[in-house]
Amino acid sequence: MKLWIKYLLASAVGYLYASFIPFFSNQIEWFRTASEVITASVPLLLYPLVFFTLASASASVRFQGQLLRLSARALLWSLCSHIMLVGLGVLIASQVTASPNIPGISPAEISFPNVLDALRLQPLPFWLTALCGFFFGLALQPDHERYSHGYHTVNSLGEACYRIAQSASEFLSLGVFVFAGILVFEVQQHPLLTPSSILAVTAVLTSLIGVLLILPLLAMVLCAQRHPFRWIAALGAPWFAAAVSGNYLLASIPLYSNARTNLGAVRSVPSVSLPLFSVFGRGGTAMVTAVITVTVLSFYQGTAPSMMQILLLSSLSIAASCTAWIVPGMEISISVMLVLSLSGMDLPHAAGFAVTSLVLRGAAASLDIMTAGLGTGYTAQMLGAETAPSWKEMQ
């Protein structure tokens, strides 16, 4: 059975459990505890995978003389996707009907999550793991007769971690079931036609347009052989995991697997490009940040933002998204807080209700995952480092 079908069935069971079993509301804390355990176990799988695969891949592509070319292609995709996605986000958000008040929200009771506390809870951040893996790979010498054994050992460990992560992707269906139940419970707690609900719907629709229109259009412009919708179908499992959980790192586990088995990218390409995209390819986070800030500003001004305000918020959203890797799981919080602070708007509490929304985090994370996946397909194609797996061979 295809992985995305397993995730779809798991989310359907989670929806039925959350919607039609009366005592679910009394067990929501159990679900939250389970989700915290799953989230906490992600680094145990992902960090060794990133370290060893990035180390061996950076050594390999450096030996082949393709490191700069690969990095340049990935950064080009990141820049173009940021500009197009943020442009789409501010275009749609600026059309939201302005209202001078946000009913049901007390700014005095709302605050951003404490970023410093979150940093203290991460003894080994993701960015440090990737950075150490990259520099360790530069020290490896795959072509040296005496020192090549170190490269082969790291390469073997990376392959072993990949196989473990590939197996873990199958069991991630249990996590999708848990996160789907929490998502349904959260949506049921918010009435329709409130500003927060309008904001969530705007972000979700914009994210879907980005996946189905903007990213395929960008791939058609940049790629020689154009099959972006095949790539989108191949990345259904990690996209679905990100949309339900709102967790980029959790969805990265099936993304690593799908990039090789479904996209057909040679393993050195996703091993280098995916850590790069985790830092510089967060176009979904930038887009949702722009949607939040433009919409909130419209609500509080009572009028649509001016062109200069839109350009300022767009630029700051792109810049702030590049800091999303600092604290995984709080990407929207950091980005929105930075944009509001750097733009000089005295609205730190105005967006507090938005940054904790699982729906908004899911919209951002799913678009980030799809940006990284399609960017990997584009990079592999430009380097001539891809095959064309059949539908039966896909995971």
Side-chain angles (χ1 to χ4, degrees), residues 226-348:
R226 301 162 182 167
H227 39 70
F229 290 103
R230 177 186 175 91
W231 289 344
I232 291 175
L235 296 170
W239 177 87
F240 203 84
V244 173
S245 67
N247 191 315
Y248 181 89
L249 293 185
L250 182 143
S252 294
I253 295 176
L255 178 62
Y256 267 86
S257 175
N258 282 187
R260 285 174 56 175
T261 58
N262 293 5
L263 296 181
V266 174
R267 65 179 182 176
S268 60
V269 175
S271 297
V272 175
S273 66
L274 291 181
L276 268 177
F277 287 129
S278 69
V279 178
F280 300 107
R282 308 301 284 268
T285 297
M287 185 206 73
V288 174
T289 300
V291 169
I292 292 174
T293 53
V294 170
T295 304
V296 168
L297 183 60
S298 298
F299 283 148
Y300 272 79
Q301 284 188 163
T303 59
S306 66
M307 182 57 65
M308 288 303 298
Q309 287 177 320
I310 287 178
L311 291 176
L312 176 63
L313 294 176
S314 300
S315 302
L316 291 176
S317 295
I318 293 175
S321 70
C322 295
T323 67
W325 47 270
I326 296 177
V327 184
M330 296 177 61
E331 295 91 341
I332 300 298
S333 303
I334 292 179
S335 298
V336 172
M337 184 170 58
L338 284 175
V339 171
L340 292 178
S341 299
L342 294 175
S343 61
M345 290 188 291
D346 187 20
L347 300 174

Side-chain angles (χ1 to χ4, degrees), residues 373-389:
L374 266 66
T376 298
Y378 156 74
T379 304
Q381 187 180 104
M382 293 296 99
L383 297 177
E386 68 162 351
T387 59

Side-chain angles (χ1 to χ4, degrees), residues 180-192:
I182 295 175
L183 180 63
V184 170
F185 183 81
E186 179 182 297
V187 172
Q188 290 176 342
Q189 299 307 302
H190 291 83
L192 297 176

